[in-house]
Amino acid sequence: MKTRRFAAVVSALTAVTLAAACSSGTEANSGGGDSKVLTLASVDQGSIEDVVKAFEAANPGVKVTLTTAGADQYQQQIRTQLSSGTAPDVMTVWPGNGNPGATYVLAKPGYLLDLSDQPWASQLPPAFQKVAQYDGKTYNALFGLNGIGAVYNDQALKKAGLTAPGTWTDLLTFCRAATAEGTPAFALGIQDNWVTQLVLYALAADVVFGADKDFDTKMQSGQATFAGSPWTTAMAKYQEMSKAGCFQKNPLGTSYEASQTLAATGKTLGIVQGNWIIGLLKQKNPSGTFTMKPLPGTDDPATFLMPAAAGAGYGVNAKAKNKDLALKFVSYVMSPAGMKVFNEKQGSLPTLQNAGTEVDPGLTELSTFVKDNRTVPFMDQLWPNAKVQQTMLSGLQEVFSNQATAGEVLKDMDAEYKKGE
């Protein structure tokens, strides 16, 4: 997933001062590299560039050599680079265990530097710490929080004379009414397979975890499975949304980029996506306003939850040529100054309070759900291996093309889950 992410209560925390953040508590030698040159690999295209400029401005004489790539390409490359000794000093690392570039996957073989003694590490909320750590040690600087929900084009919604639905029953009525008005409710671009999971995660938050927040724990202990659990209901509701006309025609033939255009220009009333989509929609429609709300999976709003998670953060190569400068950069990312630049450019929420980030008003409800602890993880982050998610993504595309049933996909996911790490 573009940025896969873990729920947390952003509790009252002491701000990390810039002076403290830019200091290094880890004993590390520079490794013999040029002390003024930092190598950095990132997937945060469009936002990391401003952070690099700010870091260089705050550290005269320092030069950051930056390379960026899409998530799929990056994940294929980084493990090879780490094993061959050609990886950069600092690199994008995802939280948890959901993909080949995730914390557990890279920390277990010793590829990442232990960051536990950095000032910000102990101030991460507990749920963030869980997916930033491996074997009790912190390896990932998680600076941003993201959520998944229904993002509405406010002007298109008003033009259609409709209001955002507040229950599952209302949602189906809303979809039918939108279709009758000639404007489908939501854009769905599942030609890019990572997009397939977003509607399912939004529904599962209510259907699976609204009734049992400990479902993941039960999965881990072997007391629950995907098949034969409320995941079957979440899958069925995803398909029911499709049958009710909630999406535009031919989602499988619609790319992520094309789905943005549909929602931004009012060809649909909205899109089910992560909060990062709001900035992208505004690029396509600068005069538009967009609001994120929970996608209702049941008829009981009191039990609604939203998926919310730490986005991809940054780790330090255990064999970095310039460890001192690498630590300084990661500390800057986690400082109030660095976090403000990153969050505002990326459109994410800060993982630490008092970062000074100006949150987009369209994310007010997401912020409230986070503060009220009404969130659940992005489901893949605590699955035991990356294959479970890959099976789900390809399986959902097959469900939409009538090549597989939802039940078959869930059974395949169970088979991969049981294989463990």
Side-chain angles (χ1 to χ4, degrees), residues 28-165:
N29 295 321
S30 63
D34 187 334
S35 63
K36 292 292 186 179
V37 177
L38 176 73
T39 54
L40 170 64
S42 177
V43 296
D44 292 302
Q45 295 163 307
S47 53
I48 183 62
E49 294 84 356
D50 283 8
V51 178
V52 167
K53 290 177 183 177
F55 177 72
E56 289 177 336
N59 296 274
V62 167
K63 174 64 178 176
V64 178
T65 302
L66 170 67
T67 58
T68 61
D72 291 343
Q73 179 185 358
Y74 177 89
Q75 290 170 12
Q76 292 172 4
Q77 293 175 344
I78 196 63
R79 183 71 180 258
T80 300
Q81 292 174 343
L82 285 165
S83 62
S84 64
T86 59
D89 298 322
V90 179
M91 68 205 80
T92 291
V93 177
W94 279 266
N97 197 30
N99 66 60
T103 304
Y104 300 4
V105 177
L106 299 183
K108 185 177 181 179
Y111 290 139
L112 300 179
L113 187 69
D114 180 8
L115 305 175
S116 301
D117 60 357
Q118 296 299 291
W120 49 265
S122 63
Q123 299 186 37
L124 285 172
F128 283 132
Q129 290 180 11
K130 188 173 184 179
V131 292
Q133 294 178 346
Y134 175 76
D135 200 22
K137 298 178 180 179
T138 299
Y139 293 95
N140 198 343
L142 301 174
F143 62 87
L145 167 70
N146 295 296
I148 297 171
V151 178
Y152 296 96
N153 180 323
D154 296 337
Q155 287 72 37
L157 205 59
K158 183 177 181 180
K159 183 178 179 181
L162 298 173
T163 57

